[in-house]
Structure formats: C-alpha cells, structure tokens
C-alpha cells in the first residue's frame, strides 16, 4: 500500500499529466498563430512554416517526455497493486465451505441495488435478461425517491419536504427527525443564503412550530439566530448541520425504511464489509496454510474483523467465563442475581444437574440451573 501511495504522490508532484495538457494547448495556439501569420503575410510562407515546424518539434519532445513519466508511473502503480493484493480476493475465500453459486437471491439483490440507485435503464435490462420480477409499485416508488433526491442535489428541498409532511405520522412513530431537519435547512437557506429574515421567520412560524416541544432547544436557537444574521452568532454550529449531502443519505434511508426495506442497500453493505475484511482474511489464510491449519467454521469467522459501527447489526455477547461468543447452540443465560453467562459455562458449573446448587462466579448468591433464564438481545 505504501508503494501505491508513493507513486500517486510522485505523479501528483511532477504534474506529468498537467504538463501534457499544457503542451497540447501550446501546440494548438502555435497552429492558430501560424494560420493567422500565413493569412496576414503569405509572401513569407516558408519562414512561417519553418518556425511552426520548430515549435511543433519542441512541443512534441516535451509531450513525449511527459508521457514516458506517466506510463512509467502507471507501470509502477500496477506492480504495487499486484504486490499489495497478491493472490487477489480468492485467497480470502474458502470454496469448500462457501461455494460460489450465483442464484436468484443474488440477482434480486443486484436488481434492487440498481433500482434504488436510480439506474433504471440498467435495472430494466438486467430484469429482462435475468428473467427477474420486481413489484411494479416498488419501481414507481424508487423512481419517485430518485426524482426527489435529484432535487435535493440542486438544493431544492420542496419535494422532499412535501413527502416528509405527508408521511409525518410514520416518521415520528419510528423516531425519525427527517422532517425537522428538512425544515431546519430550508429555514437556514432563507436566513443565511438569501438573507431574507421576514421569509425565514414566516417559514419557521408555519413549519417549525409543530416541533417546538420535541425539538425545543434547536427551535429556540434557530429563532434566536435571527438576531445575529450579520453578526457573530453564538449558535453558528446549528447552521452547519445537517448538510445537503447528509440529507441525501438520510432521506434515502428513511424512504426505503417506510417501504419495509433496509435503510442501506444490502449489496452495498455486503460488498463494502467484504472489501474491508479481505486483507485480514487473506493474511489469515496465508498464516493458516503455513501452519497447515484449515478454516472449518461456517457460523463465525476465524478471526475478528473490525468493522465500522454502521455495519454492526446484532448484539454480541462473550461469556466472561469461557471467553467464547454465545450462539444459538450456546445462548446467553441470566442468573437470578442478574449476571449473565453462556449456557455451556452454567452447565459446567451445575455439573449438568438442573437442581445442583452452585455459586455465581461474580457474587455470593447461590442458584441452580433451573432458575436461570435465556437472554435475548
């Protein structure tokens, strides 16, 4: 990876591509100037052509030198990639445990990803060639969502606000702050970008007053900010969040959530999480081969992968006694005292006798296996 970064930095500093573009522009200017010179003074045609030939040769040499540097950089970049990702993604895949067999589920995931990303022409062709079907109302909803998101990109929030208002009850029921965020950004647009205080106040009275109990502090700060339009506002941070880019992602997630779909594309999450995990799994595979060991578990990875918080969907409990992660076959169990252990650890303490009394490992309380309860996170 260091080799890749180093080559990128070198090409950026030398500016080889920029030099090529600059010399091509110089060549075009030389041709234009020669054309004007020939029109203005045709009697010295040979002199003009000779001067033009010299300039062309100079530009050509500079372009060739810059091209060599670019091609050299591309060559080194490719070698660095091969070195950094030796063996490709296949090293991180166990074909015996996880055979690759694309089926209808994967094809459907691809189709849904294309549809919710606004790639309707590609999705339509994929659906036709893959003989797949998607409920027509879903495609209509995706088209509607994409149309609204395109407006958000050009800072037109009215369609998004209209949708949020029409779905206010559902959004509030699930604890969403999308509608308030949209109204807030529209208010800031009127107040800061357009500097129209009257319009901003009128908009707040009509739309933000609905949220005064739920978002009292934010609403109060927004209204107080009216006094500081051309001055240093003590609540300036409230103007910077959320941004249009953040609202784009927020709106997409909430829209899909109301359709009963995951907030993010499952295909995107799977591919991104896999890309993060591949280097670790590839390294682990190399180490296991050198030790003549094999990856044999389907239910869990043989090594911990540190994924970002947004990729963590399930609570994980590790038994403090066995230091093993609980599973369906070895679920977490709570003692009457409130401490939680894995089922196998409890059975070991109780000697497999449901009426055998044993002491909790973390407090003086005695209990029996029959008095423990399974915990669901």
């Amino acid at each position: 990876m260091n080799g890749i970064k180093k080559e990128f930095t070198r090409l950026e500093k030398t500016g080889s591509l920029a030099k090529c573009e600059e010399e091509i522009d110089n060549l075009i200017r030389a041709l234009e100037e020669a054309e004007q010179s020939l029109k203005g003074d045709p009697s010295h045609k040979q002199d003009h052509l000779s001067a033009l030939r010299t300039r062309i040769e100079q530009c050509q040499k500079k372009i060739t030198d810059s091209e060599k540097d670019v091609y050299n950089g591309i060559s080194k970049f490719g070698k660095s990639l091969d070195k950094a990702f030796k063996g490709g993604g296949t090293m991180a895949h166990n074909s015996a445990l996880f055979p690759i067999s694309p089926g209808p589920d994967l094809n459907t995931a691809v189709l849904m990803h294309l549809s919710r990303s606004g790639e309707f022409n590609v999705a339509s062709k994929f659906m036709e060639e893959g003989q797949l079907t998607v409920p027509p109302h879903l495609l209509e909803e995706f088209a509607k969502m994409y149309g609204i998101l395109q407006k958000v990109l050009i800072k037109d929030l009215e369609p998004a606000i209209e949708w949020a208002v029409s779905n206010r009850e559902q959004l509030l029921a699930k604890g969403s702050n999308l509608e308030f965020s949209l109204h807030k950004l529209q208010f800031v647009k009127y107040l800061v970008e357009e500097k129209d205080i009257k319009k901003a106040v009128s908009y707040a009275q009509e739309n933000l007053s609905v949220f005064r109990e739920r978002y009292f502090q934010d609403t109060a700060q927004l209204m107080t900010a009216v006094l500081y339009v051309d001055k240093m506002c003590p609540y300036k941070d409230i103007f910077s969040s959320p941004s249009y880019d953040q609202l784009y992602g927020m709106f997409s997630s909430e829209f899909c959530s109301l359709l009963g779909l995951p907030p993010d594309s499952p295909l995107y999450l799977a591919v991104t999480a896999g890309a993060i995990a591949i280097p670790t799994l590839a390294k682990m595979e190399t180490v296991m081969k050198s030790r003549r060991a094999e990856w044999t578990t389907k239910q869990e990875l043989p090594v911990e992968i540190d994924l970002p918080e947004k990729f963590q969907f399930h609570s994980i409990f590790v038994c403090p006694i066995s230091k093993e992660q609980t599973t369906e076959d070895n679920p977490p169990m709570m003692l009457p005292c409130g401490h939680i252990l894995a089922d196998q650890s409890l059975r070991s303490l109780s000697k497999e006798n449901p009426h055998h009394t044993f002491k909790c490992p973390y407090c003086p309380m005695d209990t029996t296996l029959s008095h423990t309860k399974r915990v669901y996170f």
Side-chain angles (χ1 to χ4, degrees):
M1 293 300 289
N2 289 333
I4 297 172
K5 292 178 181 177
K6 184 178 179 181
E7 196 53 40
F8 263 126
T9 304
R10 190 187 69 79
L11 284 174
E12 187 177 14
K13 286 182 177 179
T14 56
S16 301
L17 286 173
K19 287 179 181 177
C20 284
E21 293 176 357
E22 184 181 347
E23 290 304 324
I24 290 172
D25 290 338
N26 290 336
L27 185 57
I28 293 172
R29 280 195 295 271
L31 292 170
E32 291 173 346
E33 290 171 4
E35 183 182 12
Q36 294 299 323
S37 299
L38 287 170
K39 288 181 180 178
D41 186 13
S43 60
H44 293 81
K45 180 179 179 181
Q46 292 301 324
D47 294 337
H48 294 315
L49 290 176
S50 178
L52 177 61
R53 188 181 298 111
T54 302
R55 288 192 65 180
I56 289 175
E57 289 174 354
Q58 291 173 348
C59 289
Q60 186 178 13
K61 185 179 183 305
K62 291 180 180 179
I63 291 172
T64 303
D65 291 341
S66 296
E67 282 181 338
K68 286 180 180 178
D69 193 41
V70 172
Y71 291 142
N72 186 36
I74 292 173
S75 175
K76 289 182 179 179
F77 177 71
K79 291 177 182 177
S80 298
L81 277 177
D82 292 338
K83 186 177 180 181
F85 301 103
K86 189 176 181 180
T90 55
M91 290 186 65
H93 176 254
N94 188 317
S95 57
L97 284 176
F98 306 100
I100 299 175
S101 55
D105 292 340
L106 178 58
N107 290 337
T108 302
V110 173
L111 177 59
M112 293 296 286
H113 177 79
L114 291 171
S115 300
R116 67 189 289 166
S117 300
E119 301 292 344
F120 300 114
N121 291 334
V122 181
S124 176
K125 196 67 178 175
F126 186 78
M127 187 162 49
E128 178 187 335
E129 294 184 1
Q131 298 182 341
L132 303 170
T133 57
V134 172
H137 80 279
L138 265 185
L139 294 178
E140 292 174 6
E141 290 296 327
F142 284 142
K144 180 180 179 181
M145 178 184 77
Y146 189 70
I148 294 175
L149 290 176
Q150 290 301 104
K151 292 290 185 179
V152 172
L153 286 177
I154 59 174
K155 299 186 177 183
D156 180 3
L157 298 178
E158 290 187 9
I161 291 173
E162 183 180 343
W163 180 87
V165 171
S166 64
N167 292 277
R168 177 179 294 168
E169 290 185 8
Q170 291 174 277
L171 290 171
L172 290 177
K174 63 191 294 293
S176 171
N177 63 346
L178 175 63
E179 185 186 351
F180 177 76
S181 297
L182 288 166
H183 287 310
K184 173 184 172 181
L185 195 55
Q186 188 77 311
F187 171 82
V188 172
K189 178 182 178 182
Y190 292 148
L191 184 65
V192 179
E193 295 180 21
E194 300 182 12
K195 296 191 181 299
D196 192 333
I197 298 177
K198 185 176 180 181
K199 189 176 182 180
V201 172
S202 176
Y203 184 85
Q205 290 174 337
E206 182 179 351
N207 298 283
L208 290 178
S209 57
V210 180
F211 302 95
R212 61 178 177 270
E213 292 184 6
R214 185 168 183 151
Y215 301 99
F216 176 78
Q217 183 175 352
D218 287 340
T219 306
Q221 290 179 354
L222 285 171
M223 297 310 299
T224 306
V226 174
L227 304 173
Y228 298 91
V229 176
D230 297 317
K231 304 178 183 66
M232 182 63 71
C233 179
Y235 310 122
K236 62 181 180 179
D237 292 342
I238 203 170
F239 291 152
S240 60
S241 179
S243 64
Y244 287 94
D245 289 340
Q246 289 172 325
L247 270 179
Y248 186 98
M250 187 188 302
F251 185 89
S252 174
S253 296
E254 296 293 0
F255 194 102
C256 290
S257 180
L258 292 193
L259 290 176
L261 300 172
D264 295 300
S265 165
L267 184 65
Y268 162 78
L269 292 175
V271 170
T272 306
I276 295 172
I278 279 177
T280 303
L281 293 177
K283 184 177 180 180
M284 179 218 66
E285 183 70 11
T286 303
V287 172
M288 291 182 78
K289 280 185 178 179
S290 67
R291 297 179 180 179
R292 297 183 179 181
E294 291 185 359
W295 174 6
T296 58
T297 58
K298 267 191 175 183
Q299 298 301 322
E300 59 183 53
L301 294 174
V303 64
E304 185 176 351
I305 305 295
D306 187 19
L307 293 175
E309 187 176 345
K310 69 176 295 185
F311 292 94
Q312 298 174 14
F313 305 102
H314 306 286
S315 298
I316 296 173
F317 178 77
V318 176
C319 177
I321 301 298
S322 64
K323 308 299 181 186
E324 293 181 357
Q325 183 178 318
T326 54
T327 63
E328 279 297 315
D329 296 328
N330 183 28
M333 305 292 290
M334 185 172 67
L335 281 66
C337 56
H339 291 108
I340 301 175
L341 305 176
D343 183 59
Q344 289 180 3
S345 298
L346 285 178
R347 292 185 180 280
S348 176
L349 290 171
S350 66
K351 299 179 180 179
E352 295 289 343
N353 185 340
H355 304 294
H356 176 75
T357 302
F358 63 92
K359 176 183 166 297
C360 170
Y362 291 93
C363 71
M365 183 173 287
D366 291 330
T367 187
T368 61
L369 189 61
S370 60
H371 286 91
T372 59
K373 294 181 180 179
R374 178 170 177 176
V375 177
Y376 294 88
F377 291 103

